[in-house]
Amino acid sequence: IFMAVFISSITATMLEISTARASVKNIRRLMSEYLVENGVSRGITMRIMIHLAHQSSEQTAEKETRILDMLPAQIANDLLYEVRGRTLIQHPLFGHINGRAPRLVRNICHLAMQIVHAHKWDAVFDIGDHCNCMFFVVAGRLMYSQGPGVEKILTDFEDQEMEPPGHPVTKGAMLAEAAMWIEWINRGRLIAADRCSLLTLSATKFPELVKFHPEVELMAVMYARDYFDELVDLAPTDLPIPAGRHLLSFSSSSL
């Protein structure tokens, strides 16, 4: 009976996906007519059409999330740990925590992490934004820069086929880590150079989960102290800071 209900739910979800795709086509047509009628600039038009072109794939992802919601909580939790955890534990601190308290890392993946998608020329964050999460690049390529604002960049590079300026950021990169340990304002901007996916780690939910694990909480506090001591001696940036004292306690000899 359970299997029949499960298959029925999946079938209904697939039908909804098909309907959603047809809806996206209609929206794309109406948007195109509106942009032409109102003489919208080529730069903004390209950004909007690129966004709509990926709309159906994003809605498919939303349906897949609903399928995930049909799973028992424990299985869903373990699934997210396997999918998101492999990215999280690439960071030395979280890899170390995973070795000491894997159940905590499972909860972090489930309760404190979110997936974010960006299309070409989308700004993930900009200079002056209040930042409350750390970013992990899962797929795609982005550009990080500390020059003029996004609107100025879009004016200078109105042809959306051109690549955003800046320092390339690719899969495996971790950005804005400072937001995890101190109040942080983004010092640069991160713009997608193509279709991208990132995971975010909440700077508010992480400590809420860690406080129930005193040993791990102490580990995080010591790491944050050393991280800040090194950060103040560097030029402000959202890019990773060079390996230093904040990573020494997580060398292989200390495990």
Side-chain angles (χ1 to χ4, degrees):
I1 295 176
F2 173 79
M3 183 59 68
V5 172
F6 183 69
I7 292 174
S8 176
S9 297
I10 292 178
T11 301
T13 299
M14 293 302 105
L15 289 173
E16 290 181 23
I17 291 174
S18 178
T19 302
R21 285 173 176 166
S23 176
V24 168
K25 289 181 180 178
N26 289 332
I27 292 173
R28 197 178 304 167
R29 177 180 57 80
L30 292 173
M31 180 63 73
S32 179
E33 292 175 358
Y34 173 85
L35 296 173
V36 171
E37 290 171 359
N38 289 275
V40 176
S41 68
R42 185 166 181 266
I44 297 299
T45 297
M46 288 297 295
R47 291 181 67 196
I48 291 173
M49 299 313 291
I50 288 172
H51 173 75
L52 291 178
H54 294 283
Q55 198 65 190
S56 59
S57 62
E58 288 189 355
Q59 290 186 352
T60 299
E62 292 173 4
K63 303 306 179 184
E64 291 171 346
T65 299
R66 291 178 56 186
I67 292 175
L68 183 67
D69 289 341
M70 289 187 282
L71 296 173
Q74 189 59 55
I75 296 178
N77 197 350
D78 289 343
L79 178 59
L80 288 176
Y81 169 71
E82 184 169 326
V83 173
R84 298 174 178 177
R86 65 171 70 108
T87 297
L88 180 66
I89 64 175
Q90 295 306 306
H91 185 285
L93 171 63
F94 301 115
H96 194 74
I97 293 175
N98 188 55
R100 297 291 185 89
R103 211 66 193 165
L104 170 60
V105 175
R106 277 176 166 79
N107 289 334
I108 291 172
C109 291
H110 176 59
L111 300 172
M113 300 189 77
Q114 296 290 333
I115 187 73
V116 174
H117 300 291
H119 311 307
K120 187 173 183 179
W121 285 97
D122 281 352
V124 178
F125 59 74
D126 199 359
I127 294 175
D129 289 350
H130 180 267
C131 188
N132 58 7
C133 65
M134 180 178 178
F135 296 87
F136 299 80
V137 180
V138 178
R141 193 165 55 89
L142 307 99
M143 303 298 285
Y144 178 82
S145 62
Q146 294 181 301
V150 171
E151 293 306 319
K152 178 65 163 59
I153 290 176
L154 290 174
T155 300
D156 293 344
F157 296 84
E158 189 170 336
D159 184 353
Q160 298 297 294
E161 294 304 314
M162 297 182 67
E163 185 168 278
H167 174 81
V169 177
T170 56
K171 180 179 178 179
M174 307 173 193
L175 299 101
E177 181 184 349
M180 299 299 301
W181 319 121
I182 60 174
E183 288 290 325
W184 185 250
I185 301 297
N186 291 125
R187 275 21 183 217
R189 71 189 50 77
L190 187 65
I191 301 179
D194 55 35
R195 168 75 172 167
C196 302
S197 296
L198 306 93
L199 282 170
T200 64
L201 174 61
S202 170
T204 55
K205 293 181 180 179
F206 171 71
E208 291 175 0
L209 296 171
V210 168
K211 68 182 180 183
F212 297 108
H213 301 262
E215 180 184 357
V216 174
E217 184 177 36
L218 176 61
M219 186 191 309
V221 168
M222 294 175 63
Y223 174 92
R225 180 198 62 195
D226 291 340
Y227 181 94
F228 177 75
D229 286 346
E230 295 186 32
L231 182 67
V232 295
D233 294 329
L234 301 171
T237 179
D238 301 286
L239 295 174
I241 67 174
R245 190 176 64 210
H246 65 291
L247 297 178
L248 289 179
S249 54
F250 304 105
S251 64
S252 58
S253 61
S254 67
L255 297 175

